[in-house]
Amino acid sequence: KDQTAIELQQWLAYDGADNASKVNAVKNIYETLHVKECAEKKMDELYAEALSHLDALPINQERTAALRKLSSMLMLRES
């Protein structure tokens, strides 16, 4: 993994004219490191934590319904 980190740093610092190669190389490294899966897992954890905080509020859940709906839509959207 040390070599992967070095390669990533080199590509991120790359300031050449061939941006397509840079994008493809960084995407490949991210796929190798499973960055998307790790980010999605963390998003799910934080979403569940946020919902538990909403549940803990001493107010009627109807008052948080709009916020819950918005957060759900944001979680389901494609980037």
Side-chain angles (χ1 to χ4, degrees):
K1 287 194 173 189
D2 292 332
Q3 183 60 36
T4 304
I6 292 169
E7 183 181 354
L8 179 59
Q9 289 174 341
Q10 289 172 340
W11 276 112
L12 292 175
Y14 177 74
D15 196 23
D18 189 7
N19 286 331
S21 292
K22 179 180 180 177
V23 169
N24 286 330
V26 171
K27 282 174 63 175
N28 287 336
I29 292 170
Y30 282 6
E31 287 173 8
T32 300
L33 296 175
H34 307 285
V35 170
K36 181 178 180 180
E37 293 84 359
C38 291
E40 288 174 346
K41 179 180 177 188
K42 188 64 174 179
M43 283 174 47
D44 290 341
E45 291 171 3
L46 292 173
Y47 180 65
E49 182 181 346
L51 290 179
S52 71
H53 286 292
L54 275 178
D55 291 340
L57 291 174
I59 60 175
N60 188 320
Q61 286 195 1
E62 290 176 4
R63 300 203 54 198
T64 62
L67 183 56
R68 289 173 189 277
K69 183 177 179 181
L70 173 63
S71 64
S72 176
M73 288 174 19
L74 290 172
M75 285 298 291
L76 296 174
R77 74 179 179 170
E78 294 291 321
S79 57

